[in-house]
Amino acid sequence: MQITHLQRRSSLGMLRSAQAGFTLIELMAVMVILGMLAFFLLRGAMGAEETVRVNSTRGYLKQLSALIDNYETDAGDYPPSSFPRTLDPKPSPTNMGGEMLVISLWPKDGLRASAPDEDRLINSDGDQTSQSHTMFTAATSFELADDWGNPIAYFHRRDYDEPCTYVTLDEEGYEEETRVRALMNPVTGDPYNKTSFQLLSSGLDGIFGTDDDLGNFKIQEAQTP
């Protein structure tokens, strides 16, 4: 049977249409696959970035602990975490332990031999005093920041039972005010570093008292019966 010219054109047109439709489906499938790959790559990159921040903050807490130990060797005690009566004028009590740590490591007379990097200085609660208590000209009540830009809480062993309010920013950038206490070891029932001091970071979520908090000690998980 002979195929007419019209039938041949009709068959070719159907073939081209089918080929065009198949190509469009393939293109859509490729776009979906690329979108999924981009999603997982972005999530992986974000996870890797947070891992770097966690490790960097852990390293900084160790470095800061060494400087505080040096302070104790020179001064005979660790820096206080509450404002002494002789400190006048006093900053606001918010972030008090962190601010007192900066005052101790950068004293007004400028004689402290070792101090952390100044690029870690922040003022999350925005308080000022009429005169400076540190070697810096600005009368700003500074704290030291973790890798998320939030203040590191500091507790001398004398103040383990005294909570202190700290101002942080959470993951969404909203301000959080949290009453922070020194952490207790759920295994022993005693405070961590019970004879010295504690440094605490609020971690990724920017909220103290959650599972991602970091300290200058290994935080133990509570034992289940």
Side-chain angles (χ1 to χ4, degrees):
M1 182 178 63
Q2 292 184 344
I3 300 176
T4 65
H5 180 67
L6 181 60
Q7 288 176 322
R8 186 180 294 111
R9 289 184 61 188
S10 177
S11 299
L12 289 173
M14 292 175 64
L15 180 60
R16 291 193 186 100
S17 178
Q19 288 176 336
F22 185 71
T23 302
L24 181 59
I25 292 173
E26 282 185 325
L27 180 60
M28 292 178 63
V30 169
M31 291 177 64
V32 170
I33 293 172
L34 289 176
M36 293 175 64
L37 286 173
F39 170 78
F40 286 112
L41 286 173
L42 179 60
R43 191 167 73 169
M46 292 175 63
E49 180 182 354
E50 291 309 321
T51 299
V52 169
R53 288 185 177 184
V54 168
N55 291 335
S56 177
T57 295
R58 288 189 191 279
Y60 183 63
L61 293 179
K62 290 181 180 180
Q63 174 191 351
L64 195 54
S65 294
L67 294 176
I68 295 172
D69 286 334
N70 290 340
Y71 179 101
E72 189 272 340
T73 299
D74 295 339
D77 195 4
Y78 299 104
S81 54
S82 56
F83 299 139
R85 294 180 180 179
T86 55
L87 188 71
D88 184 51
K90 292 179 175 60
S92 75
T94 305
N95 298 350
M96 179 167 57
E99 291 174 355
M100 198 61 220
L101 180 60
V102 171
I103 291 172
S104 300
L105 295 180
W106 282 282
K108 194 168 185 177
D109 58 21
L111 297 179
R112 183 59 51 202
S114 58
D117 294 333
E118 294 178 17
D119 58 3
R120 289 272 186 172
L121 293 173
I122 59 169
N123 184 16
S124 73
D125 57 337
D127 57 344
Q128 304 275 336
T129 52
S130 58
Q131 65 183 40
S132 176
H133 293 303
T134 64
M135 61 183 293
F136 306 114
T137 303
T140 301
S141 301
F142 290 112
E143 310 93 35
L144 291 167
D146 60 18
D147 279 69
W148 294 273
N150 284 316
I152 293 171
Y154 168 71
F155 291 94
H156 186 286
R157 63 179 180 275
R158 289 191 299 267
D159 295 324
Y160 280 176
D161 293 329
E162 300 295 329
C164 181
T165 299
Y166 277 83
V167 175
T168 59
L169 294 178
D170 66 15
E171 292 180 270
E172 304 299 324
Y174 293 105
E175 189 174 282
E176 295 281 343
E177 285 194 13
T178 309
R179 294 281 284 174
V180 184
R181 288 182 179 271
L183 292 187
M184 304 291 290
N185 188 327
V187 177
T188 65
D190 294 322
Y192 291 101
N193 298 348
K194 65 178 182 178
T195 62
S196 55
F197 61 91
Q198 289 188 17
L199 294 168
L200 299 173
S201 161
S202 56
L204 167 63
D205 63 8
I207 303 174
F208 283 103
T210 56
D211 290 340
D212 66 345
D213 287 3
L214 303 172
N216 62 324
F217 45 83
K218 183 178 180 181
I219 298 178
Q220 304 288 335
E221 293 184 3
Q223 294 180 331
T224 56

